[in-house]
Amino acid sequence: MIFRQLYDNTSGTYTYLLASRRGGEALIIDPVLERVDRYLQLVSELDLKLVKAVDTHLHADHITGLGALRDRTHCITVMGEHTRADVVSMRVAEGERIAIEGVSLKVLYTPGHTDDSYSFLLADRVFTGDTLLIRGTGRTDFQNGDPRAQYDSIFNKLMKLPDDTLVYPAHDYKGETVSTIGEEKFFNPRLKVKSIDEYVDVMNNLNLPNPKMMDVAVPANMHVGLRQADIAQKGWALSPAEAIALCGEPSVAMIDLREQAEREKHGVIPGSLHAPYPDLQKNVSASGMLRELAAATGRRIVFYCAYGERSAMAVQAAQDAGLTSACHIEGGIAAWKKADGPLAR
Ligand SMILES: [Fe+2]
């Protein structure tokens, strides 16, 4: 496995780059905006293709690199389902997986530092965001933080992992890089409490100043979504109502870009075809499946995904490749559902 721990010394943030092999797909966790050039240089040096960018939670101390990485690599942006960020391409829930070629992270919902804090588990290591730090825990005094929830996340979820599980946090300010669950169990001073009430008391009396970047970072990180309005302005978007009216029409082919797990969880538009987003370039290229479909049947290609982000990128790529009838459903399945569009399982 390729595994890189990268550091932003301005915010004390750790960013992790993962891939199963040189030349393969890569995923990045908690990227920092100012470091995006460096990440992309490394991605190219290691001959990787960045396909997913993930944040453990909505950060208050730095601006996320998710949007910039998406704009520059067309990767899928991922956060937990509790996020308040406007648009990420994919939202994941407890027990689900974030998968790329050869790497699969199990999603653990670990609220407390914020109400949208998630940890991600690989076989031998866990990325704990700011829920569990090395010899510390993330503050719980803003962004709907909750020391009770954090106690539960740490003691009833993270500490239940095997003792030799490596702990990779989102931050460290003292130069520590990695720990284990067993070490934290024994040596983390915050975990030396006798009860949940004692933990709550400790966390409620830290009296920390707000992060310097907070007033800038939080609002910025809530608006990472691609501007779907740009696609709409070019006439390449259908409102959910317009799309519902076209549902089942022989003149259109609705193309679902989501992953299988998302389709099973949220349902699919009846009669639509599945062409996952990672295969898009191949599918819209000269002899690609979608080009052939459009040419052979004359049907208009209508992309859709979860929130309209992957489909907006797909429309642009398809148009660039010469598939001039391509459009998408603005707001994706989330908007379709809101407009009472029919769904099949
Ligand atoms: Fe944080």
Side-chain angles (χ1 to χ4, degrees):
M1 188 172 79
I2 294 173
F3 175 74
R4 292 287 185 280
Q5 183 178 34
L6 301 148
Y7 191 58
D8 173 53
N9 51 2
T10 311
S11 60
T13 304
Y14 283 125
T15 300
Y16 301 95
L17 181 71
L18 284 81
S20 62
R21 64 176 178 93
R22 269 189 91 92
E25 292 182 350
L27 169 155
I28 198 163
I29 299 175
D30 287 332
V32 175
L33 178 62
E34 288 78 8
R35 302 276 158 183
V36 160
D37 284 342
R38 171 64 188 132
Y39 308 144
L40 292 179
Q41 183 192 352
L42 185 59
V43 161
S44 118
E45 286 165 351
L46 299 177
D47 191 25
L48 299 172
K49 180 179 188 320
L50 186 68
V51 296
K52 283 184 181 158
V54 187
D55 266 350
T56 50
H57 63 287
L58 198 120
H59 297 283
D61 60 345
H62 67 266
I63 297 177
T64 175
L66 249 56
L69 287 170
R70 186 256 340 270
D71 292 346
R72 290 175 59 180
T73 68
H74 301 136
C75 68
I76 296 175
T77 53
V78 186
M79 286 183 80
E81 63 177 354
H82 291 82
T83 184
R84 287 177 295 140
D86 57 347
V87 180
V88 286
S89 306
M90 191 174 173
R91 293 177 189 222
V92 290
E94 165 79 21
E96 293 181 354
R97 287 187 171 273
I98 302 173
I100 60 165
E101 174 201 357
V103 178
S104 172
L105 297 171
K106 189 174 173 196
V107 177
L108 305 176
Y109 180 42
T110 52
H113 168 60
T114 63
D115 59 357
D116 72 342
S117 286
Y118 284 75
S119 298
F120 304 117
L121 179 67
L122 259 181
D124 66 339
R125 64 196 67 195
V126 61
F127 303 95
T128 55
D130 291 354
T131 302
L132 177 65
L133 305 174
I134 299 174
R135 309 299 191 263
T137 58
R139 62 193 296 175
T140 55
D141 56 339
F142 56 66
Q143 289 186 281
N144 301 321
D146 177 352
R148 278 183 190 278
Q150 191 173 52
Y151 181 94
D152 187 54
S153 297
I154 294 173
F155 283 90
N156 297 323
K157 233 172 234 177
L158 297 175
M159 289 300 135
K160 297 274 150 91
L161 298 172
D163 276 356
D164 58 357
T165 308
L166 297 166
V167 171
Y168 285 102
H171 288 291
D172 192 86
Y173 310 99
K174 305 179 298 283
E176 305 281 348
T177 53
V178 60
S179 181
T180 65
I181 290 293
E183 257 176 70
E184 292 311 306
K185 223 179 248 175
F186 288 107
F187 304 120
N188 190 323
R190 291 263 174 90
L191 308 188
K192 299 256 178 245
V193 290
K194 289 185 187 63
S195 67
I196 187 164
D197 290 329
E198 191 185 337
Y199 186 76
V200 171
D201 204 46
V202 168
M203 296 309 287
N204 284 343
N205 289 291
L206 294 177
N207 299 319
L208 298 167
N210 278 344
K212 279 176 275 177
M213 284 282 286
M214 186 162 162
D215 294 340
V216 181
V218 171
N221 290 340
M222 285 173 70
H223 299 290
V224 293
L226 188 75
R227 286 199 53 230
Q228 292 185 39
D230 296 344
I231 294 290
Q233 244 167 32
K234 293 175 183 163
W236 298 339
L238 298 173
S239 70
E242 288 169 328
I244 289 166
L246 289 174
C247 188
E249 284 287 321
S251 61
V252 300
M254 303 257 193
I255 308 294
D256 187 356
L257 297 164
R258 294 170 303 162
E259 297 185 0
Q260 190 55 33
E262 297 176 276
R263 290 159 54 81
E264 283 164 16
K265 187 171 173 186
H266 299 287
V268 304
I269 295 179
S272 63
L273 303 170
H274 187 206
Y277 178 78
D279 301 334
L280 184 78
Q281 279 307 334
K282 187 179 72 194
N283 288 337
V284 299
S285 67
S287 56
M289 186 259 282
L290 295 176
R291 286 289 281 278
E292 301 267 295
L293 173 76
T297 65
R299 291 161 84 187
R300 184 173 193 199
I301 300 294
V302 182
F303 289 111
Y304 73 95
C305 61
Y307 304 101
E309 176 141 334
R310 274 168 281 183
S311 57
M313 291 191 284
V315 171
Q316 187 66 60
Q319 292 280 351
D320 291 347
L323 220 175
T324 54
S325 78
C327 62
H328 84 136
I329 302 175
E330 205 161 26
I333 278 288
W336 175 272
K337 256 189 203 169
K338 225 182 243 170
D340 290 322
L343 288 168
R345 290 280 162 182

